[in-house]
Amino acid sequence: MLLRAALITTLLGSVTADKPHIMLMLADDFGWTNIGLHTQDQEVQTPNMNSLAASGVELDRHYAYKFCSPTRCSLQSGRYPVNVNVLNVEPTVHNPSDPVGGYAGIPVNMTTIAWKMRSAGYRTYMTGKWDAGMATPTHTPMGRGYEQWLGYYHHANDYWTEGIPITATGTVDVCGNAYTDLWSTNGPANTLNGTAYEEELFTNHSLAMIKNHDPSEPMFLFHAFHLVHTPLEVPQSYLDAFDFIHGSPDQRRPYAAMVKYLDDALGMLVEAVKDKGMWENTLMVFVSDNGGPIYFPAGANNYPLKGGKMSD
């Protein structure tokens, strides 16, 4: 279990809803030292995260599980991974002898954060990576309480095509990695896949959720970035901005560029909430799902902490 930081901004002032709006921002495979708060290295450019930390609270003894799916199942269910899921298996895994917990992700008899939020009167929106089950409608984000969603089910996909090559998932599935993994609420998002960089699609979706939200109702927005999980893909303009980073193999450069893209997207979401007049009544939490991966082909930096993603 690796040490992670949570940046929490709590700005409760003039109230537009009886309950505060809540924005839960989850980065993927984000390294401890890949935020400017923890380093002065010029390859780390995170002004928006730094600003949130300066005006909020940093939880620097915050722990998470060592890899993707268990962390996300824990986050959604409010349970320790050991009590919900400790395996990073394929979404297609099935044990027919166990109708309750015999699927990847969260067992169907467990409650989830989105349903709890809805029972408290919140509107619930989600964007991005799920990785907490997909075998039945109950396992999906909608079955777990989210009203609207744009994202993918697997551990990762391709940032440009939304396919699931071995460079994204690290494995070959029963379909030979042939399908596309991008979904919009209750069906395939087949008019969107391949049309733009995936994080642009995700940012636009969350921006639309914020724009169309009625501020008199409390909002719960869970934005789960694909960034900065492999494959290390980013628009060329971002990659060019880090051409001073050299090395072989060259994974630090795209990773740094992807971190900058993440920070820019985070800043856009914050500005949208401010423009909507909701910021003074918003609790924002930014956290990573696990430590940064330091194995090839990833490029995270967790110094001075030991280990990284996949290590105990």
Side-chain angles (χ1 to χ4, degrees), residues 1 3 9 42 50 67-68 79 94 97-98 123 125 135 146 155-156 165 198 205 211 233 252 258 278 288 300 304 310:
M1 190 173 289
L3 190 66
T9 300
Q42 64 173 333
N50 298 348
F67 48 64
C68 303
R79 295 166 171 84
H94 177 215
S97 66
D98 183 358
R123 304 301 303 273
Y125 314 125
Y146 291 98
H155 309 316
E198 185 167 66
H205 181 261
K211 179 180 179 180
E233 299 171 339
R252 280 178 36 243
M258 293 166 76
M278 295 163 51
S288 180
M310 307 298 291

Side-chain angles (χ1 to χ4, degrees), residues 37-248:
L37 180 67
H38 295 155
T39 182
Q40 298 300 313
D41 195 314
Q42 64 173 333
E43 72 179 62
V44 178
Q45 300 179 20
T46 58
N48 292 300
M49 296 183 208
N50 298 348
S51 176
L52 288 172
S55 61
V57 178
E58 179 192 4
L59 304 183
D60 61 3
R61 289 298 182 270
H62 175 85
Y63 291 85
Y65 200 68
K66 60 185 177 181
F67 48 64
C68 303
S69 186
T71 285
R72 292 162 194 275
C73 293
S74 176
L75 181 65
Q76 294 296 328
S77 68
R79 295 166 171 84
Y80 286 119
V82 70
N83 294 322
V84 55
N85 173 32
V86 295
L87 300 175
N88 216 37
V89 297
E90 299 299 306
T92 52
V93 165
H94 177 215
N95 176 7
S97 66
D98 183 358
V100 175
Y103 303 93
I106 305 169
V108 294
N109 63 342
M110 291 186 176
T111 54
T112 53
I113 186 173
W115 280 122
K116 290 294 186 182
M117 299 303 289
R118 285 181 72 170
S119 70
Y122 278 78
R123 304 301 303 273
T124 56
Y125 314 125
M126 180 184 167
T127 302
K129 177 175 175 176
W130 179 239
D131 204 9
M134 60 172 285
T136 71
T138 302
H139 287 89
T140 68
M142 289 63 62
R144 297 302 187 179
Y146 291 98
E147 299 176 63
Q148 297 187 54
W149 174 56
L150 176 69
Y152 59 96
Y153 285 110
H154 216 300
H155 309 316
N157 62 1
D158 187 272
Y159 283 87
W160 295 105
T161 68
E162 284 72 45
I164 54 164
I166 192 171
T167 54
T169 64
T171 59
V172 178
D173 62 34
V174 294
C175 298
N177 294 31
Y179 65 84
T180 298
D181 191 4
L182 185 67
W183 304 79
S184 179
T185 306
N186 290 314
N190 50 20
T191 62
L192 291 177
N193 56 277
T195 62
Y197 186 58
E198 185 167 66
E199 288 293 348
E200 180 182 346
L201 299 176
F202 289 168
T203 301
N204 288 340
H205 181 261
S206 285
L207 289 174
M209 296 299 99
I210 295 168
K211 179 180 179 180
N212 296 326
H213 180 74
D214 180 353
S216 67
E217 298 180 286
M219 176 187 73
F220 175 61
L221 172 62
F222 174 47
H223 187 104
F225 293 94
H226 184 171
L227 294 164
V228 278
H229 195 290
T230 54
L232 300 185
E233 299 171 339
V234 68
Q236 188 64 42
S237 60
Y238 278 82
L239 194 61
D240 290 344
F242 291 86
D243 60 4
F244 58 87
I245 300 177
H246 304 285
S248 180

